Amino acid sequence: MTIAFITGSSRGLGLALAELLLKDKNVKVVGISRHQTIENPKYEHIALDLSDLKTVEKFRFHVDEYDKYILINNAGVIEPIAHVGHTFSTDIVSNYNVNLIAPSLLTNTFLRQFSELKKPIHIINVSSGAGKHPIDGWSTYNASKAGLDMFSLVIDRELKINNDNHIRIHSIAPGVVDTEMQGTIRNTDIKNFSTVDKFKDYFSHGDLAKPSDIAKKYKKVIDNPDDFPEVVISVRDF
């Protein structure tokens, strides 16, 4: 039996991943988010606000015996969307807390609890192409996703140094997906984000991918991690 912990499981890609994994009779899903939107006998919900780092720091995973342990750090926020010098400090802090610091804390706890079990472990961080290309108005989002990629790369190097071959980590960019985040982007004033019209065109032309379709691509990595030797990848690559 596999247990999969998924942050941000109440909507968007996190919800699609949870629903897809629950179709496998050998997988139990634990959703970690503020709200519960799934009812399934193999689903357990843990209410956790990832912007509250004191609570995240105290969080502990189940220590029950499973054949495989998966952590998917999916939760993320894009706000604030504004040029630097025109944002609130609290919004910058909240973005980094949810997008980078919380997944770093959870990953640290996850490995500390389970790595010595010598069971297969897989960590998947939901990254973004925005972590590789500067986009005006997205400074904190870009920086947090770039940080998540590098965090993943360093962990992979440490695992190789320590010969922890039972542990794999990937940082996967999902592409442009039809989620609430895209709605937030489209509603941004052009003075805060000069290329907002491009994202409006994605929506009007039907170019946004369905979360369920992207979830299937993530599952390919979950099911066959050895087929994806690179740590930082994009679903557009396969």
Side-chain angles (χ1 to χ4, degrees):
M1 190 78 174
T2 294
I3 186 166
F5 300 89
I6 305 175
T7 67
S9 57
S10 63
R11 60 187 183 181
L13 179 58
L15 175 61
L17 281 165
E19 291 178 334
L20 180 60
L21 291 175
L22 285 168
K23 292 179 180 179
D24 188 330
K25 65 180 181 180
N26 293 316
V27 177
K28 175 180 178 178
V29 173
V30 178
I32 302 171
S33 64
R34 287 178 297 175
H35 307 292
Q36 179 174 352
T37 56
I38 298 174
E39 295 293 338
N40 187 296
K42 294 197 291 99
Y43 177 82
E44 179 181 346
H45 184 78
I46 297 177
L48 185 66
D49 182 355
L50 296 179
S51 67
D52 182 355
L53 294 187
K54 290 184 178 179
T55 303
V56 176
E57 190 175 3
K58 294 175 182 177
F59 177 79
R60 296 295 180 269
F61 295 91
H62 298 305
V63 292
D64 298 334
E65 191 76 13
Y66 288 91
D67 299 315
K68 182 177 181 180
Y69 299 84
I70 299 171
L71 171 62
I72 303 176
N73 287 307
N74 159 76
V77 295
I78 193 164
E79 301 95 331
I81 303 178
H83 289 191
V84 176
H86 298 274
T87 64
F88 294 107
S89 298
T90 52
D91 292 337
I92 294 173
V93 170
S94 179
N95 183 291
Y96 286 134
N97 284 354
V98 174
N99 290 352
L100 181 57
I101 300 178
S104 298
L105 291 173
L106 291 174
T107 300
N108 183 61
T109 299
F110 190 73
L111 289 176
R112 191 170 63 232
Q113 286 189 241
F114 300 127
S115 61
E116 294 302 318
L117 296 178
K118 302 302 178 183
K119 298 286 186 68
I121 290 173
H122 198 175
I123 299 161
I124 293 180
N125 292 320
V126 175
S127 183
S128 172
K132 302 169 186 64
H133 308 285
I135 302 172
D136 74 286
W138 293 20
S139 58
T140 50
Y141 185 75
N142 282 40
S144 64
K145 292 301 185 179
L148 195 61
D149 282 345
M150 183 53 68
F151 180 68
S152 305
L153 286 166
V154 171
I155 290 175
D156 180 69
R157 175 163 294 187
E158 292 171 348
L159 294 173
K160 287 180 169 63
I161 290 172
N162 296 324
N163 292 316
D164 287 327
N165 300 319
H166 62 295
I167 305 173
R168 295 297 307 274
I169 185 165
H170 287 96
S171 191
I172 308 174
V176 186
V177 190
D178 191 8
T179 63
E180 289 186 20
M181 184 181 289
Q182 285 295 317
T184 300
I185 292 170
R186 292 193 299 274
N187 288 324
T188 302
D189 193 301
I190 195 169
K191 72 178 188 225
N192 294 322
F193 174 35
S194 65
T195 54
V196 63
D197 287 342
K198 179 172 72 173
F199 284 79
K200 291 179 179 179
D201 288 342
Y202 287 152
F203 179 73
S204 62
H205 296 158
D207 293 333
L208 298 178
K210 295 179 180 179
S212 57
D213 291 337
I214 299 303
K216 291 175 184 176
K217 294 196 171 187
Y218 274 76
K219 193 169 185 298
K220 287 183 179 180
V221 183
I222 293 171
D223 291 341
N224 303 286
D226 291 339
D227 291 345
F228 302 89
E230 297 297 323
V231 175
V232 178
I233 57 176
S234 169
V235 298
R236 293 176 177 176
D237 298 333
F238 58 92

